[in-house]
Amino acid sequence: GQNIDQPTEMTATEGAIVQINCTYQTSGFNGLFWYQQHAGEAPTFLSYNVLDGLEEKGRFSSFLSRSKGYSYLLLKELQMKDSASYLCAVEGSGAGSYQLTFGKGTKLSVIP
Amino acid sequence: EAQVTQNPRYLITVTGKKLTVTCSQNMNHEYMSWYRQDPGLGLRQIYYSMNVEVTDKGDVPEGYKVSRKEKRNFPLILESPSPNQTSLYFCASSPYYREFRELFFGEGSRLTVL
């Protein structure tokens, strides 16, 4: 099985940088996803990490360390529209392949 | 337009009355999956399917059934709904190539069981 931990809530200021952490304990690992979910809407894909290191995509970056069971999502130049929940999800391997386990999400509030 | 379509979007029903939530995708994706989302518990996977006639249990399959007779459709069946199945349900699909495993979600179906 998978156990995924991320902070419940965070607050940051418009224009600032925020880092949302995700730790996981898994029986197998194929990759880690980050999704964004605005209130009342469906999740939308942000990033997918398979190998260790940093993946940058515009204002958003995602980092993975498989040996530490750790990932973070970095949001730069925060905008009000970034207020949303951010979901970390792990894909299992072997018998758990294609089974995706989500963390409970981190609700980010961006304030002026 | 590439999309995942769920119906109904909202439903109020009573305990024990069988219902089906339909899910259809027009992107020719192999992989489809159902999730439920509850406050404080996050998204939990109910069932998933890697291809036609191939389905497997997720983390919370009890009380649900699925079928995958066609590639584009993946209905979720509640044979005898109970109040603890009141939730927000999402269907999702993905091409699931090694380099492109993004999940595309439907808009969600809010189900209330009285």
Side-chain angles (χ1 to χ4, degrees):
Chain A
Q2 319 279 21
N3 186 42
I4 301 172
D5 288 313
Q6 48 181 133
T8 304
E9 294 187 41
M10 297 181 72
T11 301
T13 305
E14 191 176 14
I17 299 172
V18 70
Q19 178 175 312
I20 302 174
N21 296 325
C22 172
T23 59
Y24 61 90
Q25 294 110 27
T26 66
S27 54
F29 180 85
N30 253 351
L32 187 143
F33 297 81
W34 283 97
Y35 284 84
Q36 180 190 59
Q37 186 177 25
H38 285 101
E41 297 182 9
T44 54
F45 172 81
L46 290 177
S47 67
Y48 175 57
N49 292 71
V50 178
L51 302 176
D52 290 353
L54 187 69
E55 299 255 354
E56 296 186 75
K57 194 185 291 186
R59 293 190 299 115
F60 291 14
S61 303
S62 57
F63 172 82
L64 175 66
S65 169
R66 288 172 297 170
S67 63
K68 295 181 179 175
Y70 169 69
S71 173
Y72 66 74
L73 180 69
L74 194 70
L75 291 76
K76 302 175 188 175
E77 301 168 15
L78 279 173
Q79 302 175 10
M80 299 300 290
K81 67 178 182 179
D82 297 329
S83 292
S85 288
Y86 291 85
L87 315 178
C88 173
V90 173
E91 180 192 351
S93 65
S97 287
Y98 309 111
Q99 187 169 350
L100 202 60
T101 302
F102 282 82
K104 294 176 182 173
T106 298
K107 184 178 180 181
L108 174 66
S109 298
V110 180
I111 57 176
Chain B
E1 181 191 350
Q3 58 186 1
V4 178
T5 304
Q6 298 179 222
N7 279 297
R9 294 286 315 282
Y10 302 91
L11 180 64
I12 300 174
T13 190
V14 295
T15 299
K17 185 176 182 182
K18 180 180 178 180
L19 70 92
T20 299
V21 186
T22 63
C23 175
S24 181
Q25 51 96 1
N26 62 359
M27 295 169 279
N28 201 36
H29 288 167
E30 263 77 35
Y31 180 91
M32 297 186 74
S33 184
W34 275 103
Y35 300 86
R36 60 177 291 173
Q37 188 170 37
D38 303 288
L41 296 177
L43 273 169
R44 292 179 292 167
Q45 191 174 45
I46 304 171
Y47 270 95
Y48 63 95
S49 169
M50 282 309 303
N51 214 326
V52 175
E53 302 294 1
V54 180
T55 63
D56 212 341
K57 296 178 182 178
D59 293 319
V60 288
E62 296 79 18
Y64 304 94
K65 289 172 66 174
V66 293
S67 68
R68 188 92 183 271
K69 294 186 171 61
E70 305 165 283
K71 197 173 186 179
R72 62 184 293 127
N73 295 323
F74 191 45
L76 179 70
I77 302 156
L78 287 74
E79 293 272 3
S80 183
S82 62
N84 65 12
Q85 292 178 297
T86 291
S87 187
L88 177 60
Y89 291 87
F90 287 103
C91 179
S93 73
S94 173
Y96 241 76
Y97 305 140
R98 186 66 191 164
E99 300 78 26
F100 190 62
R101 295 168 102 83
E102 172 182 351
L103 276 174
F104 292 80
F105 283 85
E107 292 184 298
S109 297
R110 187 167 292 281
L111 171 66
T112 301
V113 183
L114 302 175

